[in-house]
Amino acid sequence: MGVTVDVHQVYKYPFEQVVASFLRKYPNPMDKNVISVKIMEEKRDESTGIIYRKRIAICQNVVPEILRKVSILKVPNIQLEEESWLNHQERNMAIRSHCLTWTQYASMKEESVFRESMENPNWTEFIQRGRISITGAGFLNCILETFASTFLRQGAQKGIRIMEMLLKEQCGAPLAE
């Protein structure tokens, strides 16, 4: 089956400031679930100027204790892989991330884009679609997908709040119309 969560946000800050804040977002005291983020690969395509990054995030396992009675869910940490393509010239950054933990039972994928807002070139639009599907857990599939959907929605909203806070700290008040 699976669940999908869509997020759309306009940051009233220029693209370059939003991307810089995104790349520094974690670890952060506002989200103690993200333990570390490590750049695994970074390269620039000389012909296009696009910067490719691959990062691995280590996050605390947030599955409720009651569900961790199932042996496959008893892991202390979860690993996420994020790949991004930053195009300064076109002022957009595409991001793909997926979970590296529990791949035989679950699929968690997110696709996101930061781009210059059509409404105002000094603002940045953020669009994200996350999809989670659980298989191989029998009757727990639906319960785990419901939990995952709630967690994904709350995580997206928390990520937006953290970005807004970082942008305000690092860049001052948002830009007016």
Side-chain angles (χ1 to χ4, degrees):
M1 192 171 133
V3 292
T4 301
V5 174
D6 291 317
V7 176
H8 182 262
Q9 174 72 18
V10 174
Y11 295 105
K12 294 183 176 182
Y13 293 89
F15 173 78
E16 294 75 13
Q17 291 175 344
V18 172
V19 167
S21 291
F22 172 79
L23 293 171
R24 290 192 300 264
K25 185 165 80 169
Y26 296 115
N28 183 304
M30 284 184 67
D31 191 347
K32 297 194 185 327
N33 291 330
V34 181
I35 298 164
S36 68
V37 177
K38 183 177 180 183
I39 296 174
M40 305 305 289
E41 184 179 354
E42 185 169 345
K43 61 186 176 186
R44 177 188 205 93
D45 182 314
E46 295 305 322
S47 63
T48 63
I50 294 173
I51 299 169
Y52 168 81
R53 281 183 193 87
K54 182 190 291 189
R55 305 191 303 175
I56 301 287
I58 308 293
C59 304
Q60 289 182 4
N61 183 351
V62 294
V63 173
E65 282 298 322
I66 189 89
L67 296 176
R68 287 197 216 182
K69 303 232 182 281
V70 177
S71 62
I72 60 166
L73 300 177
K74 281 186 187 176
V75 297
N77 300 322
I78 298 166
Q79 287 192 3
L80 303 172
E81 179 181 82
E82 173 193 272
E83 294 179 283
S84 64
W85 295 265
L86 174 58
N87 186 332
H88 282 290
Q89 188 173 337
E90 293 186 14
R91 299 185 85 208
N92 71 53
M93 182 166 79
I95 305 157
R96 272 199 322 241
S97 55
H98 64 276
C99 186
L100 298 174
T101 309
W102 302 315
T103 55
Q104 68 272 39
Y105 302 102
S107 169
M108 191 286 297
K109 297 179 180 186
E110 286 180 345
E111 293 188 1
S112 310
V113 174
F114 286 101
R115 65 183 180 204
E116 182 179 294
S117 171
M118 301 278 232
E119 199 176 332
N120 183 326
N122 290 314
W123 295 352
T124 305
E125 189 175 14
F126 173 66
I127 301 165
Q128 182 178 66
R129 170 165 277 183
R131 179 153 179 75
I132 295 177
S133 56
I134 313 283
T135 57
F139 71 94
L140 286 177
N141 285 3
C142 190
I143 294 167
L144 290 169
E145 283 181 353
T146 300
F147 166 75
S149 171
T150 301
F151 180 75
L152 202 58
R153 275 188 225 305
Q154 290 173 347
Q157 292 308 311
K158 184 190 284 186
I160 288 169
R161 284 193 308 273
I162 291 170
M163 283 290 293
E164 291 283 2
M165 182 208 68
L166 289 174
L167 286 161
K168 196 169 186 181
E169 280 178 5
Q170 295 164 5
C171 310
L175 297 171
E177 310 215 13

